[in-house]
Amino acid sequence: MQTIYLIRHAQATGQAPDAALTPQGEAQAAILADLLHAFPVDAVVSSPYLRAMQTIRPLAQRAGLSVTTDDRLQERVLSTLDLPNWRDLLKRSFEEPDWSAEGGESGREAMNRGVSVLRDILRTEVQRHIAVVTHGNLMTLMLQAFDSRFGYDRWERLTNPDVYLLLFDQGQFQRLDRLELTQSL
């Protein structure tokens, strides 16, 4: 069995690649490290965005692990335009997976990009329990690949941070569960 802990980053100051965690986000990252330290994480893969790296750094340091970055875990670009109605367009992109806004990535393209990271990880026999840190939109699309109930409504209910446990047996998906983050985040 292989376990992937799919993690959405903690609260951040913005959406830019260099947006840092807020003070509350830093506290959330420390609590997340406390909670996940109880699990046998033996590898960490993260989006290169600063907020994702800052979210997982406390756990990686505590476990004595290095953090591998993977550009495929970057947040999905919905559009290169400033869209005041971006939520409506995001919802449309979940309902029409091949549709994309100008300069953006379709839901299906983003899903395939994110899932390709998981497939590559699952091919690695040495790593059995892997923490994967990404962003809300991409994470929801990745989860949707394994459970069609994930869509816009589930995206709206994600928290910062959020953690889903995905179990695989010989590379075959078995189940996913949301980890309850019981301490005050």
Side-chain angles (χ1 to χ4, degrees), residues 91-137:
K91 185 174 185 179
R92 179 179 177 191
S93 77
F94 278 105
E95 294 167 352
E96 300 174 41
D98 293 314
W99 175 84
S100 63
E102 186 175 329
E105 185 177 28
S106 75
R108 189 175 319 278
E109 291 168 331
M111 176 192 293
N112 290 339
R113 172 171 56 88
V115 170
S116 72
V117 176
L118 302 183
R119 294 289 177 213
D120 287 351
I121 289 169
L122 292 171
R123 283 190 208 98
T124 306
E125 285 299 316
V126 177
Q127 302 168 338
R128 298 309 234 174
H129 306 280
I130 305 96
V132 176
V133 188
T134 190
H135 307 271
N137 189 327

